[in-house]
């Protein structure tokens, strides 16, 4: 039963890959070109790190590369005058991949502890990548021969959450990978990986997705143009994150607009009350996130929601700083009156200090500091800066 459940999870993780090809990966031409060049030269490496923020296509790109490497009849053509290979989408291997049941594609992620053969491991909270998960689902399987294709592709998501023991556990496999293995680590923070891991992998740095592409994608999903442009800037070019936030039941966009209006008019005496309001809205966002990504656990969802709300405050401070410095490239372009009012109440230096304070507060969230105290502290600083 656990194996069937694992396949079901993989099908969910692979949703959206089957209709794509390498040509459809947005804003990552430098990655695709580098990979295609090595493929056509017959010198594809075995260990990679796909680095970049969430939602810029790292997993989709890893999936499409895996599908190509497993494909029985890759299609060869040209793109921009260079040889280009892509999966055929028709062979048995491609069909199995698109259904989420290819035996030689292994997606390894921290929540796999739920499907462990060891009862004690299944009970643990997947707040980090457990060494037991790495050993059971990656290290122990890496040496086994492919069942269908001539390669086995392993993709390790959130590899920045591998603790030092787990990283050491995969090091030998990265140093001497079996000839049939391709290993892709997906990572948001390469500084959290051991130098020995970095030195043994080809690092591909993924760029933010072009904002116009994100806005167009959101508009195609029925999002108003003004809101679509906001999300493209708020997420710093993360298509996946923009889609997620714009589609939450909590109506994050409405919360953002109301929050900025309150920030413009509130005083120091209102800080505690506004912190309580913000905590309530943060709870709504956490609840909505739980319906789309419940695997994270309540604590993780709560931290995500708090980070989103603090980033909303930070976007207002950053916009006020830019406007005061003469820039019109605003994230909150939809509320120009609010941003203009804030920019008149503090200078660029004061605004930059606020941005730094909020960044520090976001770090404190992950140190399990009381959210009410964090919100109050930021709002008190915000109010004092305006006075």
């Amino acid at each position: 039963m656990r194996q069937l459940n694992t396949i079901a999870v993989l099908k969910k993780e692979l949703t959206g890959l089957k209709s794509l090809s390498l040509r459809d990966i947005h804003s990552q031409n430098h990655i695709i070109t580098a990979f295609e060049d090595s493929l056509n030269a017959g010198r594809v490496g075995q260990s990679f790190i796909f680095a970049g923020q969430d939602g810029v296509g790292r997993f989709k790109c890893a999936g499409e590369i895996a599908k190509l490497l497993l494909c029985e009849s890759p299609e060869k053509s040209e793109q921009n005058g260079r040889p280009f290979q892509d999966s055929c989408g028709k062979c048995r291997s491609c069909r199995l991949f698109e259904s989420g049941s290819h035996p030689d594609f292994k997606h390894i992620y921290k929540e796999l502890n739920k499907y462990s053969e060891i009862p004690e491991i299944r009970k643990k909270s997947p707040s980090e990548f457990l060494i037991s998960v790495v050993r059971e689902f990656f290290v122990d399987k890496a040496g086994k021969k492919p069942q269908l294709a001539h390669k086995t592709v392993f993709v390790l998501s959130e590899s920045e959450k591998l603790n030092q023991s787990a990283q050491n556990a995969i090091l030998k496999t990265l140093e001497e990978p079996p000839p049939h293995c391709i290993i892709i680590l997906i990572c948001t923070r390469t500084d959290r990986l051991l130098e020995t891991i970095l030195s043994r992998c080809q690092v591909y740095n993924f760029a933010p997705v072009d904002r116009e592409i994100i806005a167009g994608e959101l508009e195609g999903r029925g999002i108003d143009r003004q809101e679509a442009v906001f999300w493209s800037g708020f997420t710093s070019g993360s298509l996946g994150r923009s889609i997620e936030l714009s589609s939450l039941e909590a109506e994050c966009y409405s919360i953002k607009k109301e929050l900025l209006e309150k920030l413009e008019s509130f005083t120091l005496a209102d800080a505690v009350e506004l912190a309580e309001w913000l905590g309530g809205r943060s709870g709504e966002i956490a609840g909505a996130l739980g319906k789309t990504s419940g695997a994270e656990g309540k604590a993780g969802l709560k931290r995500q929601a708090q980070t989103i709300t603090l980033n909303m405050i930070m976007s207002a401070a950053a916009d006020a700083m830019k406007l005061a410095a003469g820039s019109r490239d605003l994230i909150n372009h939809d509320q120009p009156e609010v941003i203009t009012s804030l920019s008149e109440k503090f200078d660029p230096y004061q605004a930059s200090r606020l941005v730094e304070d909020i960044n520090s507060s976001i770090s404190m969230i992950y140190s399990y500091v009381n959210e009410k105290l964090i919100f109050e502290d930021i709002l008190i600083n915000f109010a004092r800066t305006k006075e």
Side-chain angles (χ1 to χ4, degrees):
M1 179 61 72
R2 283 194 296 274
Q3 179 61 28
L4 291 175
N5 285 339
T6 303
I7 291 174
V9 170
L10 288 175
K11 285 183 179 180
K12 180 179 179 182
E13 293 290 334
L14 288 167
T15 297
L17 281 179
K18 62 182 181 181
S19 61
L20 292 176
S21 76
L22 280 173
R23 298 180 189 274
D24 299 316
I25 304 297
H26 293 303
S27 303
Q28 311 302 339
N29 291 341
H30 61 298
I31 304 290
I32 306 303
T33 298
F35 174 76
E36 288 283 343
D37 286 349
S38 63
L39 180 64
N40 290 312
R43 46 182 175 80
V44 174
Q46 289 186 263
S47 302
F48 301 86
I49 293 172
F50 283 8
Q53 64 171 322
D54 290 334
V56 295
R58 295 167 305 158
F59 181 74
K60 282 185 170 61
C61 188
E64 288 306 319
I65 285 175
K67 187 165 70 167
L68 169 58
L69 293 174
L70 299 173
C71 180
E72 296 169 359
S73 304
E75 293 184 346
K76 297 183 179 182
S77 61
E78 284 193 2
Q79 182 165 289
N80 299 323
R82 306 165 76 101
F84 190 90
Q85 295 188 48
D86 209 345
S87 55
C88 71
K90 302 171 185 176
C91 67
R92 180 188 177 194
S93 180
C94 285
R95 293 197 304 271
L96 284 171
F97 187 90
E98 290 173 357
S99 71
S101 54
H102 199 297
D104 301 322
F105 177 76
K106 312 289 185 183
H107 181 204
I108 315 300
Y109 51 100
K110 57 187 177 58
E111 289 84 8
L112 277 180
N113 70 298
K114 297 177 182 178
Y115 312 105
S116 173
E117 295 293 336
I118 305 170
E120 293 77 11
I121 301 303
R122 294 200 297 270
K123 296 176 183 178
K124 292 188 176 182
S125 174
S127 57
E128 63 178 18
F129 229 135
L130 301 173
I131 186 173
S132 52
V133 169
V134 170
R135 285 174 174 162
E136 182 176 353
F137 294 98
F138 173 53
V139 176
D140 292 348
K141 293 186 180 344
K144 295 181 179 180
K145 293 183 178 180
Q147 296 180 46
L148 176 64
H150 60 287
K151 293 185 182 298
T152 303
V153 181
F154 291 88
V155 176
L156 280 71
S157 290
E158 296 186 289
S159 58
E160 71 278 357
K161 294 184 179 179
L162 291 162
N163 61 29
Q164 187 163 340
S165 297
Q167 290 190 49
N168 282 322
I170 71 172
L171 190 54
K172 182 173 176 55
T173 305
L174 291 173
E175 288 176 336
E176 301 176 5
H180 59 269
C181 276
I182 301 292
I183 304 160
I184 302 174
L185 307 182
I186 295 179
C187 183
T188 56
R189 294 279 303 274
T190 54
D191 59 305
R192 293 182 178 176
L193 296 179
L194 297 174
E195 285 295 330
T196 44
I197 287 181
L198 291 171
S199 67
R200 285 160 176 77
C201 298
Q202 295 180 38
V203 180
Y204 285 173
N205 292 301
F206 280 64
V209 178
D210 184 270
R211 291 186 182 184
E212 275 303 312
I213 290 175
I214 295 176
E217 179 70 26
L218 295 184
E219 286 185 276
R221 294 168 178 262
I223 303 299
D224 178 78
R225 172 69 182 178
Q226 195 172 61
E227 179 181 350
V229 172
F230 164 74
W231 287 122
S232 71
F234 181 79
T235 63
S236 300
S238 171
L239 175 58
R241 196 64 169 154
S242 295
I243 292 172
E244 179 184 34
L245 293 176
S246 64
S247 61
L248 287 180
E249 289 182 6
E251 297 185 2
C252 289
Y253 185 60
S254 296
I255 291 173
K256 187 278 300 188
K257 293 185 73 174
E258 186 175 358
L259 171 59
L260 262 62
E261 290 170 359
K262 290 179 179 292
L263 289 175
E264 192 277 327
S265 60
F266 92 111
T267 64
L268 185 59
D270 304 319
V272 174
E273 181 180 349
L274 183 52
E276 291 177 354
W277 178 87
L278 198 56
R281 301 297 79 73
S282 178
E284 292 175 14
I285 294 172
L289 286 169
K291 295 180 180 180
T292 61
S293 56
E296 180 70 22
K298 289 184 178 180
L301 293 169
K302 187 176 180 181
R303 290 193 290 271
Q304 279 191 51
Q306 292 164 359
T307 300
I308 291 167
T309 50
L310 284 177
N311 274 320
M312 289 176 179
I313 299 174
M314 186 161 62
S315 74
D319 277 349
M321 176 179 65
K322 288 188 287 187
L323 191 60
S327 172
R328 295 282 174 177
D329 182 23
L330 306 181
I331 294 173
N332 297 283
H333 70 101
D334 52 330
Q335 292 177 282
E337 296 85 0
V338 172
I339 299 304
T340 298
S341 176
L342 290 175
S343 71
E344 293 171 349
K345 292 176 180 177
F346 39 68
D347 61 35
Y349 174 75
Q350 291 172 316
S352 68
R353 288 293 302 273
L354 272 176
V355 170
E356 291 177 6
D357 289 344
I358 296 169
N359 263 321
S360 297
S361 295
I362 290 173
S363 300
M364 291 172 64
I365 286 174
Y366 290 86
S367 300
Y368 303 95
V369 177
N370 182 282
E371 70 163 20
K372 189 171 183 293
L373 294 178
I374 292 175
F375 289 152
E376 285 181 7
D377 184 56
I378 285 299
L379 292 170
I380 287 171
N381 285 347
F382 204 103
R384 284 175 173 165
T385 302
K386 290 200 305 177
E387 293 178 350

